[in-house]
């Protein structure tokens, strides 16, 4: 098939690579210019899954790993501290990974696509991989995003491990994700836009040098709330249809899982079965809606461990089942302590 992929982020690059390999004719359109294109993200994800995605695309994930996490320190309100045992959480060179996936693909940079862009009618299908922007699909009335921004910093001393500070009411968090050699991503997502932790970080690290400052909201509303997934011959993949884990704002792996669902459905018949795609995405990410409800209840101060026991159990059981994909220990007692402390 002749396919246009709009957006050369994690979903667009991986999908382009895999679909070209399957024999489809691929053209990618990316709004940013080649010189300034940069993956906005803190580059943290579980290596357990990325190794498989990389292998499928002919890459060796070890070539991209920047930092292998051992323990994540989490500072919580009222001076409580928790440590997460990390089992595969790494930071990796997402820029290089995406560039390598795009080797041999036709990419047009500096193309800001709109639903009415004429040239899109030359394709059998147009895939909306525009992430948070969801540029080609109709808006969803249930969309919910959290404002965030981050810095790429170097010359950082005194911190060389994953660190998170959770805000009261789970209204956001501050993070530092190490990239090795005194570099790291430091930033915050915060519903209230106060971004506690950022100025304190610079006070504690007066020698830290800013290499980039990047801001973009993160979508927390899960696929169930991001319908429709398609409109005529336009189909959404990745964050554009809510493939982000709502508790963490973590979207790399969910977006890649979504790419694989898309690829399977596309290759099944000569015509794309949009209903089957919708069904499979909703099934795979079904429990994300329970997690999203927990987050929103917590934000509104309405989460009760008794009244919402079923929701909490759904989150725990599903996360435990997918423990490898998260890259850290999933422990019921700890999860309860964390939610109580927030
Ligand atoms: C500050 C921040 C930190 C994050 N940290 C992490 C993390 O550590 N781990 C994790 O798992 N997730 C993280 N996320 C979430 C994760 O980055 C995204 O969910 C994931 O990148 C989504 O992939 P995507 O391919 O769907 O969209 P994106 O990676 O956002 O790619 C979308 C692409 O589409 C392009 N585009 C947009 N509109 C148009 C248009 N109209 N025409 C053409 N091109 C267009 C954009 O320029 C972009 O290149 C973070 C997000 C933010 C904002």
């Amino acid at each position: 098939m002749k396919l246009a992929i709009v957006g050369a982020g994690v979903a667009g690059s991986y999908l382009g690579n895999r679909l070209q390999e399957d024999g489809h004719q691929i053209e990618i359109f990316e709004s940013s210019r080649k010189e300034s294109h940069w993956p906005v993200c803190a580059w943290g994800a579980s290596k357990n899954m990325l190794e498989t995605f990389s292998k499928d695309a002919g890459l060796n994930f070890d070539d991209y790993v920047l930092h292998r996490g051992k323990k994540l320190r989490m500072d919580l309100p009222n001076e409580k501290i928790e440590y997460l045992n990390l089992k595969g959480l790494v930071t990796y060179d997402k820029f290089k990974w995406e560039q390598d996936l795009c080797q041999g693909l036709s990419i047009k940079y500096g193309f800001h696509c709109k639903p009415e862009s004429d040239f899109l009618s030359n394709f059998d299908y147009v895939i909306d991989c525009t992430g948070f922007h969801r540029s080609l699909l109709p808006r969803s009335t249930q969309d919910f995003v959290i404002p965030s921004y981050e810095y790429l910093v170097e010359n950082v001393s005194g911190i060389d491990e994953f660190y998170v500070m959770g805000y009261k009411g789970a209204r956001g968090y501050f993070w530092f994700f190490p990239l090795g050699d005194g570099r790291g991503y430091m930033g915050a997502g915060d519903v209230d836009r106060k971004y506690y932790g950022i100025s304190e970080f610079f006070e504690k690290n007066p020698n830290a040098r800013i290499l980039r400052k990047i801001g973009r909201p993160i979508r927390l509303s899960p696929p169930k709330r991001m319908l429709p997934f398609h409109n005529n011959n336009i189909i959404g993949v990745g964050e554009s249809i809510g493939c982000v884990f709502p508790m963490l704002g973590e979207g790399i792996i969910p977006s890649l899982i979504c790419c694989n669902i898309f690829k399977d459905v596309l290759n099944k018949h000569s015509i794309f079965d949009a209903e089957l795609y919708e069904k499979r995405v909703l099934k795979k990410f079904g429990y994300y809606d329970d997690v999203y409800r927990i987050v929103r209840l917590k934000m509104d101060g309405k989460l009760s461990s008794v009244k919402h026991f079923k929701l909490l159990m759904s989150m725990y059981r599903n996360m435990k089942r997918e423990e490898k994909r998260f890259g850290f220990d999933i422990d019921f007692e700890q999860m309860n302590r964390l939610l109580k402390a927030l």
Side-chain angles (χ1 to χ4, degrees), residues 6-12 29-32 37 40-44 94 111-113 129-133 135 148 150 175 177 216-218 237-240 244 249-253 255:
V6 180
V10 65
F29 299 91
E30 167 56 48
S31 59
S32 51
H37 182 59
V40 182
C41 186
W43 297 9
K94 191 166 179 266
F111 261 76
H112 185 83
C113 302
C129 290
T130 61
F132 150 76
H133 301 273
S135 297
S148 77
E150 70 176 1
W175 65 80
F177 284 11
R216 179 167 66 69
I218 308 175
V237 173
E239 187 175 331
S240 69
V244 178
E250 170 250 10
I252 297 173
I253 288 173
S255 290

Side-chain angles (χ1 to χ4, degrees), residues 57-174:
L59 304 178
N60 176 6
F61 186 64
D62 279 342
D63 297 344
Y64 303 88
V65 175
L66 297 172
H67 173 81
R68 292 171 200 274
K70 291 188 184 70
K71 272 210 184 326
L72 179 150
R73 175 177 163 152
M74 195 182 270
D75 284 357
L76 297 160
N78 299 320
E79 295 182 6
K80 293 206 165 69
I81 301 172
E82 288 283 339
Y83 287 92
L84 291 188
N85 259 335
L86 303 182
K87 290 195 171 152
L89 187 69
V90 297
T91 53
Y92 71 105
D93 191 335
K94 191 166 179 266
F95 179 69
K96 186 169 184 295
W97 197 71
E98 290 176 8
Q99 294 282 304
D100 289 354
L101 285 174
C102 289
Q103 289 289 330
L105 285 169
S106 155
I107 307 189
K108 294 206 162 63
Y109 288 93
F111 261 76
H112 185 83
C113 302
K114 296 181 184 156
E116 59 275 16
S117 299
D118 275 351
F119 62 95
L120 293 177
S121 59
N122 298 330
F123 295 89
D124 294 318
Y125 293 103
V126 175
I127 309 164
D128 183 337
C129 290
T130 61
F132 150 76
H133 301 273
R134 194 180 157 96
S135 297
L136 305 181
L137 287 171
R139 297 280 118 201
S140 155
T141 51
Q142 296 192 68
D143 202 355
F144 182 80
V145 299
I146 182 161
S148 77
Y149 74 99
E150 70 176 1
Y151 295 88
L152 173 60
V153 282
E154 67 173 5
N155 215 22
V156 177
S157 53
I159 175 164
D160 59 357
E161 189 46 296
F162 284 96
Y163 170 78
V164 161
M165 177 173 64
Y167 300 154
K168 185 81 194 146
R171 298 182 69 78
Y173 65 87
F174 165 89

Side-chain angles (χ1 to χ4, degrees), residues 152-154 183 209-213:
L152 173 60
V153 282
E154 67 173 5
R183 285 186 172 214
R209 250 197 316 275
I210 300 170
L211 300 173
R212 276 173 196 273
K213 183 183 174 190

Side-chain angles (χ1 to χ4, degrees), residues 1-9 11-16 19-20 24-30 113 120 123-131 134-137 229-238 240-241 258-259 262-263 266 272 277:
M1 286 187 204
K2 198 170 171 208
L3 305 169
I5 295 180
V6 180
S13 330
Y14 178 74
L15 200 57
L19 293 177
Q20 181 152 293
H24 299 288
Q25 202 181 322
I26 307 293
E27 200 138 347
I28 301 186
F29 299 91
E30 167 56 48
C113 302
L120 293 177
F123 295 89
D124 294 318
Y125 293 103
V126 175
I127 309 164
D128 183 337
C129 290
T130 61
R134 194 180 157 96
S135 297
L136 305 181
L137 287 171
F229 297 166
H230 65 97
N231 189 24
N232 300 320
N233 72 333
I234 299 171
I235 302 140
V237 173
S240 69
I241 58 162
C258 182
C259 290
F262 178 88
K263 181 178 126 66
L266 183 77
F272 184 76
Y277 176 62

Side-chain angles (χ1 to χ4, degrees), residues 24 34 43 49-51 55 68 90 101 112 136 183 228 231 239 244 265 288 295 304-305 328 332:
H24 299 288
K34 190 163 191 214
W43 297 9
M49 293 286 291
L50 278 164
E51 277 170 352
K55 199 167 161 212
R68 292 171 200 274
V90 297
L101 285 174
H112 185 83
L136 305 181
R183 285 186 172 214
N231 189 24
E239 187 175 331
V244 178
V265 173
Y288 282 33
V295 172
S304 146
S305 52
F328 54 84
F332 187 65

